[in-house]
């Protein structure tokens, strides 16, 4: 079964400079096609009494290449609309550190995450933080789901999963792991990265269609190129 890419993989893919040409082709092809309709299929001219004929047709179907660019642009639009802002802003922990946030900020980021992810992802988030001893289960009815409370040395997030309330305090004080901030960051990152699976699947489907169209054009281009080479070899065979 085909593995659906995660959001950060799409971000790296769409940042490839060479793929920007598909966006450019999508934009300029309608203009070029309109101009091409006004040109003849061939141009005939004479040089020193010798007649020459030049074909203006392309060695591939530009329509198929335009379809490839169309599918790519659609995938890019869906990505830009649907990719979580957290992934776009912090594609890795180094980018997060560049903003110089305090450890407390992760409590707010976790709160934003829990507002948008599915129950399954909430359970996974809770389970992983619980296994790493970053959260504790509380019984007090004082706090509501999603409440953030800033105290002297920590900022606490209270969240509910399956009718049970949990407390996450940042920075983590009751754990010997010096990389606890990084750990919590990547737990948030991971849940965002796995979110909206159906939309990620649509993007991947559009990219596959784009790749298939491009592969068809490339194959056609190579086939025509070999035809010219064989014709050239045949015309010079007697002189070799």
């Amino acid at each position: 079964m085909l593995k659906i890419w995660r959001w950060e993989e799409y971000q790296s893919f769409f940042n490839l400079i060479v793929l920007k040409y598909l966006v450019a082709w999508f934009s300029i092809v309608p203009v070029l096609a309109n101009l091409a309709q006004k040109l003849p299929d061939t141009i005939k001219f004479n040089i020193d009494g010798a007649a020459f004929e030049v074909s203006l047709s392309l060695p591939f179907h530009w329509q198929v290449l335009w379809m490839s660019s169309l599918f790519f642009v659609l995938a890019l639009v869906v990505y830009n609309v649907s990719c979580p802002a957290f992934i776009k802003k912090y594609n890795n922990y180094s980018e997060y550190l560049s903003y110089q946030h305090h450890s407390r900020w992760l409590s707010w980021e976790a709160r934003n995450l829990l507002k948008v992810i599915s129950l399954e992802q909430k359970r996974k988030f809770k389970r992983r933080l619980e296994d790493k001893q970053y959260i504790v289960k509380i019984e007090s009815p004082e706090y509501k789901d999603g409440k953030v409370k800033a105290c002297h040395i920590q900022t606490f997030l209270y969240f509910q999963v399956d009718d049970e309330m949990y407390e996450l305090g940042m920075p983590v004080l009751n754990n010997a792991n010096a990389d606890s901030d990084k750990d919590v960051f990547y737990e948030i990152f991971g849940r965002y990265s796995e979110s909206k699976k159906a939309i990620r699947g649509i993007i991947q489907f559009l990219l596959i269609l784009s790749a298939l169209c491009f592969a068809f054009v490339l194959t056609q281009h190579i086939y025509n190129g070999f035809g010219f080479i064989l014709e050239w070899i045949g015309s010079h065979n007697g002189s070799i």
Side-chain angles (χ1 to χ4, degrees):
M1 185 176 178
L2 186 64
K3 174 183 174 291
I4 298 177
W5 282 7
R6 295 160 65 103
W7 283 115
E8 72 272 15
E9 293 174 301
Y10 284 121
Q11 185 179 48
S12 300
F13 177 80
F14 283 122
N15 282 336
L16 293 175
I17 295 177
V18 67
L19 295 176
K20 305 299 182 183
Y21 289 110
L22 284 175
V23 179
W25 183 258
F26 174 78
S27 303
I28 66 175
V29 159
V31 178
L32 296 178
N34 186 53
L35 293 175
Q37 289 178 350
K38 301 176 182 179
L39 297 174
D41 294 334
T42 59
I43 295 178
K44 298 179 181 180
F45 57 93
N46 293 302
I47 299 179
D48 294 332
F52 294 91
E53 186 176 288
V54 177
S55 174
L56 296 179
S57 61
L58 294 172
F60 57 87
H61 290 103
W62 64 263
Q63 297 91 338
V64 179
L65 186 56
W66 186 82
M67 288 298 296
S68 175
S69 66
L70 171 63
F71 290 131
F72 178 83
V73 169
L74 288 176
L76 181 60
V77 169
V78 175
Y79 163 79
N80 282 325
V81 170
S82 304
C83 181
F86 186 93
I87 299 292
K88 290 181 180 179
K89 188 174 183 179
Y90 317 119
N91 199 39
N92 52 55
Y93 188 59
S94 296
E95 290 186 8
Y96 175 78
L97 288 178
S98 69
Y99 284 85
Q100 299 183 343
H101 292 307
H102 192 278
S103 297
R104 294 172 179 264
W105 184 248
L106 287 171
S107 294
W108 293 99
E109 292 290 3
R111 176 175 178 263
N112 294 336
L113 168 75
L114 291 166
K115 287 181 178 179
V116 297
I117 58 175
S118 65
L119 178 59
E120 178 185 356
Q121 286 295 323
K122 286 182 180 180
R123 288 169 176 166
K124 186 173 183 179
F125 182 70
K126 183 269 297 185
R127 183 176 66 253
R128 292 179 67 90
L129 291 185
E130 196 171 38
D131 291 343
K132 296 175 182 180
Q133 300 181 3
Y134 292 156
I135 61 173
V136 294
K137 184 163 60 174
I138 60 174
E139 304 295 337
S140 173
E142 177 184 354
Y143 302 110
K144 295 182 179 180
D145 183 31
K147 179 177 176 58
V148 176
K149 180 181 179 181
C151 296
H152 176 54
I153 56 176
Q154 284 180 294
T155 295
F156 294 96
L157 166 66
Y158 300 92
F159 65 96
Q160 185 174 318
V161 179
D162 294 329
D163 298 325
E164 294 182 327
M165 189 69 70
Y166 297 88
E167 178 188 76
L168 167 66
M170 295 301 301
V172 176
L173 302 179
N174 62 340
N175 193 292
N177 184 1
D179 291 329
S180 56
D181 282 12
K182 183 177 181 179
D183 222 359
V184 173
F185 168 84
Y186 274 114
E187 290 302 332
I188 297 172
F189 185 93
R191 305 295 68 75
Y192 273 123
S193 182
E194 294 177 347
S195 65
K196 304 178 182 178
K197 185 176 181 180
I199 297 178
R200 287 186 287 119
I202 291 172
I203 296 173
Q204 191 158 340
F205 177 69
L206 290 170
L207 290 176
I208 290 173
L209 291 178
S210 176
L212 290 174
C213 291
F214 186 82
F216 175 82
V217 171
L218 181 61
T219 302
Q220 190 179 28
H221 189 71
I222 293 173
Y223 175 80
N224 284 298
F226 271 116
F228 292 132
I229 291 174
L230 293 175
E231 183 179 344
W232 176 80
I233 292 175
S235 64
H236 291 79
N237 191 38
S239 60
I240 296 177

